[in-house]
Amino acid sequence: MTIQVGDRIPNIELRTMGESGPEPITSDAVFAGKRVVLFAVPGAFTPGCSQAHLPGFVVKADEILAKGVDRIACMAVNDAFVLRAWQQAQNAEAILMLADGNAELTRALGLELDLRSAGMGIRCRRFALIADDGIVQWLGIDDRGVDKSSAESVLAQL
Ligand code: BEZ
């Protein structure tokens, strides 16, 4: 079942790139005690994610943070090396990149996207959410394009 507004984000171990390589980071550590904007993409370096979704959050990061958001995070079913390379290519240092390489948080949220027919395995649907202390306050999911999960849509909710 897909996570709903009012639900708690499950505690799952993810990876992020540290000084000397990928490091574990739990979703509890990302969300606890903070107002967080999380957006998720089907894949780093894919056209829609690279040309629209991530760049929107790069451009609007300061505006989003100025609205009382403590942290902006981006999740994908990719490894931490790929997400770091994508972050560098997109000047996205303001955004915490979260690798859900085994799709564990993706599955726990009920937001899997089956791209096996495209040779891409199980990925994450394109979505964005706002969470306060780990509780979902707003959720926007896109089945096509970048609209409900865009930085502009998030800003309209803050
Ligand atoms: C994209 O352009 O964002 C995309 C392409 C293929 C699969 C998933 C996403």
Side-chain angles (χ1 to χ4, degrees), residues 42-43 46-50 113 115 118 120 126:
T46 61
C49 307
S50 281
L113 177 64
L115 289 181
M120 295 172 69
R126 193 184 300 285

Side-chain angles (χ1 to χ4, degrees), residues 106-117:
T106 295
R107 288 181 210 276
L109 295 171
L111 285 163
E112 306 98 313
L113 177 64
D114 187 346
L115 289 181
R116 286 178 296 177
S117 62

Side-chain angles (χ1 to χ4, degrees), residues 31-52:
F31 289 99
K34 294 186 175 63
R35 182 163 230 218
V36 178
V37 167
L38 171 71
F39 67 100
V41 298
F45 292 105
T46 61
C49 307
S50 281
Q51 290 163 20

Side-chain angles (χ1 to χ4, degrees), residues 9-84:
I9 294 169
N11 189 29
I12 300 285
E13 191 171 89
L14 304 162
R15 296 282 187 285
T16 195
M17 189 55 82
E19 297 275 307
S20 50
E23 294 176 352
I25 182 170
T26 63
S27 41
D28 271 6
V30 172
F31 289 99
K34 294 186 175 63
R35 182 163 230 218
V36 178
V37 167
L38 171 71
F39 67 100
V41 298
F45 292 105
T46 61
C49 307
S50 281
Q51 290 163 20
H53 208 184
L54 178 56
F57 281 92
V58 171
V59 168
K60 301 283 186 190
D62 286 346
E63 220 176 311
I64 290 171
L65 293 168
K67 296 268 185 184
V69 169
D70 298 302
R71 166 177 279 171
I72 305 169
C74 173
M75 182 178 85
V77 181
N78 286 127
D79 62 69
F81 296 100
V82 166
L83 286 186
R84 177 70 180 132

Side-chain angles (χ1 to χ4, degrees), residues 3-9 27-28 30-38 64 67-71 129-139 157-158:
I3 194 158
Q4 307 286 321
V5 169
D7 289 348
R8 176 170 291 284
I9 294 169
S27 41
D28 271 6
V30 172
F31 289 99
K34 294 186 175 63
R35 182 163 230 218
V36 178
V37 167
L38 171 71
I64 290 171
K67 296 268 185 184
V69 169
D70 298 302
R71 166 177 279 171
L129 62 78
I130 301 167
D132 283 339
D133 195 21
I135 306 294
V136 177
Q137 306 297 320
W138 173 86
L139 173 66
Q157 300 296 325
L158 291 169

